[in-house]
Amino acid sequence: MDTEIENQPVRPLTILSFTINGRTVQVTTDPSARLADIIREALDLTGTKISCGIGRCGACSVWLNGKLVNSCLIMAYQAEGSTITTIEGIGEEDNLDPVQQAFLEEGGFQCGYCTPGMIMAVKSLLKDTPHPSDEEIAEGLSGNLCRCTGYSGIVRAVRRAAEKKQ
């Protein structure tokens, strides 16, 4: 028998309660689990993507208490009592959010992997800066990487969404 494995401490599970996309949930999990994993695996909200796992690409971007965060960097215990919004909480298939619609109209995606995180970032940008300059758009998207588009469609989508807000 491998005594190293037998003697490793067992981490206690904890019950977390938080609101996600307007619904209060309780999740039993390891308190050091990543929020991204809880969102995807325990709650089956797979729009939030995991790519780099170290907070550099933005694919896992969600709102935590109204603030844009990389959910791969948030530990489960940090979500206790919070309000979380994922891409599934933004618009609906037959009633898209204006940012989602702008991404469709302007070709702001190719493979689509980064799109949920981009949309979350754009909505945060437009909430804080309703009429962003090109520099503000670049800054607002700086935490999100896209490997396919070259960003021109994404920038056009941000501009179109800003125009629609007027």
Side-chain angles (χ1 to χ4, degrees), residues 21 46-48 61-62 85-91 100 115-117 119-120:
N21 300 331
T46 57
T48 299
S61 296
V62 300
T85 304
T86 69
I87 190 67
E88 288 89 352
I90 308 293
Q100 292 171 315
T115 305
I119 288 172
M120 300 303 288

Side-chain angles (χ1 to χ4, degrees), residues 6-155:
E6 285 181 18
N7 294 327
Q8 287 189 7
V10 177
R11 289 188 172 174
L13 297 179
T14 188
I15 298 173
L16 299 176
S17 180
F18 53 87
T19 301
I20 188 159
N21 300 331
R23 183 174 59 117
T24 300
V25 298
Q26 287 190 330
V27 177
T28 302
T29 187
D30 179 330
S32 66
R34 299 181 308 176
L35 179 58
D37 295 322
I38 292 169
I39 290 169
R40 290 183 56 78
E41 295 168 17
L43 300 174
D44 201 29
L45 297 170
T46 57
T48 299
K49 306 300 184 206
I50 300 173
S51 184
C52 73
I54 57 174
R56 292 191 177 173
C57 72
C60 67
S61 296
V62 300
W63 296 337
L64 180 67
N65 296 325
K67 182 179 181 203
L68 186 69
V69 298
N70 292 320
S71 62
C72 72
L73 298 179
I74 304 296
M75 298 295 99
Y77 71 88
Q78 294 173 293
E80 174 63 34
S82 66
T83 300
I84 300 163
T85 304
T86 69
I87 190 67
E88 288 89 352
I90 308 293
E92 297 173 10
E93 189 174 338
D94 57 347
N95 185 25
L96 295 178
D97 180 88
V99 174
Q100 292 171 315
Q101 188 65 42
F103 265 73
L104 282 174
E105 292 169 0
E106 295 297 335
F109 59 90
Q110 283 182 12
C111 81
Y113 201 81
C114 70
T115 305
M118 287 280 186
I119 288 172
M120 300 303 288
V122 170
K123 287 194 62 64
S124 286
L125 169 65
L126 295 178
K127 179 179 72 168
D128 297 335
T129 311
H131 310 292
S133 66
D134 287 347
E135 294 79 23
E136 290 167 323
I137 292 172
E139 177 66 25
L141 296 176
S142 66
N144 295 76
L145 299 177
C146 176
R147 291 165 178 89
C148 301
T149 67
Y151 294 92
S152 58
I154 295 168
V155 171

